[in-house]
Amino acid sequence: MYSINFALYILNSVFKKFMRRLITILLLASFVLFISYWLYSKTETWPYTEATARKDMANGQAKLFSFGLSVLGRITIEQRDTLQRKYGFEAASLGCTVNRSIEKKIEKYNSIVEEYLIKRNGPHWRENYSNDLDRMLDIKSISAMK
């Protein structure tokens, strides 16, 4: 009887030690992964800077970056490209999620391009672009109804 209790005690003790070690290892691994991700998100590079914005504008390749959902999927690529060429930029979508450090860099790049587009197209270029885009979307939706 005592030998069975002693054997169970030993097994229980070994199991507890194993579980403590396993939990410790998992916690350390989780901590290392968290720190690695945090450091990566802080050092993630964004290739579009103030210098590249000015270079892109000089080459006639200004870009406006956006994130989130886009309504441009409802018009053809040719229509989109024609409209963007008319106003002197290319729209580039970065998907739905962007970290805060990249978002700040996008805002800086876009603000420089925005100044260029105001000089190129006038102060109300966004309204004009939006009206042209609305006309394209209306034409597209009317033709889809037929």
Side-chain angles (χ1 to χ4, degrees), residues 117-133:
L117 293 174
I118 288 171
K119 288 178 187 173
R120 184 183 186 281
N121 301 313
H124 303 290
W125 80 269
R126 276 209 179 264
E127 292 85 12
N128 297 335
Y129 173 78
S130 182
N131 291 337
D132 288 349
L133 181 60

Side-chain angles (χ1 to χ4, degrees), residues 35-81:
I35 295 298
S36 298
Y37 174 75
W38 183 76
L39 288 173
Y40 170 76
S41 68
K42 296 295 180 193
T43 60
E44 190 174 353
T45 59
W46 176 249
Y48 297 99
T49 62
E50 186 175 340
T52 57
R54 301 203 187 286
K55 180 181 170 190
D56 289 346
M57 291 181 299
N59 294 334
Q61 299 173 341
K63 295 173 186 64
L64 279 179
F65 292 97
S66 65
F67 44 93
L69 296 175
S70 173
V71 298
L72 296 179
R74 294 180 43 205
I75 62 175
T76 66
I77 293 172
E78 293 81 19
Q79 288 174 314
R80 181 199 68 202
D81 291 347

Side-chain angles (χ1 to χ4, degrees), residues 6 12 22 30 58 69 73 84 86-87 98 105 112 134 136:
F6 182 71
N12 192 19
L22 180 64
S30 298
L69 296 175
Q84 290 172 2
K86 176 181 175 182
Y87 288 94
V98 175
K105 293 173 183 177
I112 293 167
D134 288 343
M136 281 185 172

